[in-house]
């Protein structure tokens, strides 16, 4: 349905190395290189910067890769459509999730799996920018991100849940017995936060900036599990979505205290490429996300 030469080029653009691209395509480097040269002859343009090693794509090459990615995605969508008509939805769901949503997303993947038992799933922990970039390259089917961060052209987003963040700190520490802590106060304790490339960290930094509090975390990590472990050691505090604790529990000796002044919450949702029609896999996931959003909105 799509020439192997284009698939090889997509792999080369992704791997940025002839050997790795060839291995991903299960061919020899010489076979892949020859196919790329054939493609250049066919199109009448150079698509790869020539050198001893892969040095990047030419401007024309980048355009060809974008076109090839769209062709490959369309071909995959058609195969899904035909397979669905015959056997129901099958294939592999590729989902990128921001670290702070990795626990809650299980509610979405579980409901999807119960409805579509023949679909396998891959859930990757990624920063928002990487999720959006992989969606553009058709390397993911969907992502879970903060709604605000996906308000860019070319994407659709379905809000699923809203939540507040809490201060995670030692039960016998400075804020023992408190029901609420001001953001400005939270800035004065040793903090363990996600790394600056993570959208959660960017939103937290923005709130601290609003209250005029400069924050230099004493420890940074790209893992929520690592945050929980470090806070549990008793030395650090952190700021995390309450939903993380609702799913995995609060570490022993640690309490979650509401953050106020200001009281803010964030919306998290499912982001997909804006396409019409959507591939069956993505369309089914969107429907599941909308149904899940209704359950979050119901009073408990």
């Amino acid at each position: 349905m799509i020439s192997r030469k284009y698939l090889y080029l997509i792999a080369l653009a992704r791997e940025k190395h002839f050997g790795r691209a060839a291995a991903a395509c299960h061919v020899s480097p010489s076979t892949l290189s020859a196919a790329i040269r054939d493609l250049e002859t066919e199109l009448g343009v150079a698509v790869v910067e020539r050198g001893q090693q892969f040095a990047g794509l030419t401007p024309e090459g980048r355009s060809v890769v974008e076109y090839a990615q769209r062709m490959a995605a369309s071909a995959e969508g058609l195969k899904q459509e035909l397979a669905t008509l015959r056997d129901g939805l099958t294939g592999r769901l590729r989902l990128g999730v921001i670290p702070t949503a990795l626990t809650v997303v299980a509610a979405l993947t579980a409901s999807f799996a119960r409805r579509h038992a023949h679909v396998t799933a891959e859930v990757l922990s990624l920063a928002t920018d990487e999720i959006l970039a992989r969606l553009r390259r058709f390397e993911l089917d969907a992502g879970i991100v903060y709604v605000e961060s996906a308000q860019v052209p070319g994407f659709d987003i379905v809000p699923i849940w809203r939540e507040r963040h809490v201060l995670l700190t030692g039960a016998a520490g400075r804020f023992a017995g408190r029901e609420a802590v001001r953001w400005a106060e939270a800035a004065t304790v040793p903090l363990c936060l996600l790394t600056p490339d993570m959208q959660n960290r960017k939103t937290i930094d923005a709130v601290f900036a609003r209250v005029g509090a400069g924050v230099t975390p004493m420890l940074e990590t790209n893992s929520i599990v690592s945050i929980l472990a470090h806070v549990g050691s008793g030395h650090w505090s952190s700021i995390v979505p309450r939903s993380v604790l609702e799913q995995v529990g609060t570490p022993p000796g640690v309490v979650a205290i509401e953050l106020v002044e200001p009281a803010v919450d964030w919306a998290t949702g499912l982001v997909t490429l804006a396409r019409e029609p959507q591939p069956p896999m993505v369309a089914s996931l969107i429907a599941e996300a909308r149904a899940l959003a209704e359950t979050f909105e119901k009073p408990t």
Side-chain angles (χ1 to χ4, degrees):
M1 297 177 67
I2 175 173
S3 171
R4 288 186 180 275
K5 291 179 285 190
Y6 289 96
L7 297 178
Y8 294 165
L9 181 61
I10 291 173
L12 182 59
R14 181 182 65 248
E15 301 294 340
K16 298 179 173 57
H17 187 276
F18 278 97
R20 290 196 299 269
C25 296
H26 306 291
V27 297
S28 68
S30 60
T31 297
L32 184 137
S33 182
I36 298 297
R37 289 187 181 278
D38 286 347
L39 181 60
E40 291 177 320
T41 300
E42 177 183 310
L43 298 176
V45 296
V47 298
V48 177
E49 297 285 359
R50 295 303 175 190
Q52 292 296 322
Q53 297 179 333
F54 178 75
L57 299 173
T58 64
E60 294 85 356
R62 289 192 291 272
S63 294
V64 175
V65 167
E66 291 175 4
Y67 180 76
Q69 288 170 334
R70 290 195 296 270
M71 286 197 303
S74 296
E76 178 60 28
L78 177 57
K79 287 193 289 185
Q80 286 181 14
E81 188 76 44
L82 296 175
T84 300
L85 291 173
R86 184 179 63 250
D87 304 314
L89 195 62
T90 60
R92 188 170 184 82
L93 172 66
R94 303 163 302 169
L95 192 61
V97 183
I98 56 175
T100 52
L102 282 170
T103 53
V104 186
V105 76
L108 175 62
T109 51
S111 61
F112 185 86
R114 284 190 289 268
R115 197 178 302 274
H116 305 289
H118 299 296
V119 174
T120 61
E122 178 183 28
V123 177
L124 300 177
S125 175
L126 299 168
T128 298
D129 290 345
E130 181 64 15
I131 289 173
L132 299 183
R134 292 196 187 194
L135 283 171
R136 290 189 182 98
R137 298 194 300 265
F138 300 95
E139 294 173 5
L140 291 175
D141 297 302
I144 299 292
V145 300
Y146 290 116
V147 169
E148 183 180 60
S149 64
Q151 302 293 335
V152 291
F155 293 97
D156 292 332
I157 190 157
V158 178
I160 302 178
W161 71 88
R162 301 188 68 89
E163 61 186 341
R164 289 188 178 180
H165 284 43
V166 294
L167 179 69
L168 201 59
T169 191
R174 175 179 167 185
F175 302 118
R178 295 273 295 272
E179 294 184 357
V181 171
R182 291 181 289 111
W183 280 86
E185 291 179 290
T188 64
V189 296
L191 288 175
C192 170
L193 298 176
L194 288 174
T195 50
D197 60 310
M198 297 292 177
Q199 188 63 36
N200 172 265
R201 171 66 182 280
K202 294 175 183 177
T203 59
I204 288 173
D205 286 349
V207 178
F208 279 131
R210 282 170 56 186
V211 300
V215 174
T216 302
M218 301 302 293
L219 189 147
E220 295 175 322
T221 175
N222 63 357
S223 166
I224 284 291
V225 172
S226 180
I227 283 180
L228 296 177
H230 281 90
V231 174
S233 74
H235 181 71
W236 293 274
S237 298
S238 189
I239 296 172
V240 300
R242 185 177 290 279
S243 61
V244 169
L245 307 177
E246 291 172 351
Q247 296 292 323
V248 301
T250 305
V254 173
V255 292
I257 305 176
E258 183 179 1
L259 284 163
V260 297
E261 295 185 31
V264 293
D265 60 15
W266 290 271
T268 305
L270 180 79
V271 62
T272 57
L273 276 177
R275 302 166 65 188
E276 192 59 44
Q278 289 283 8
M281 185 84 72
V282 177
S284 298
L285 186 63
I286 290 173
E288 208 66 48
R290 287 174 174 158
L292 182 61
E294 293 181 1
T295 67
F296 276 109
E297 291 173 359
K298 291 178 180 179
T300 57

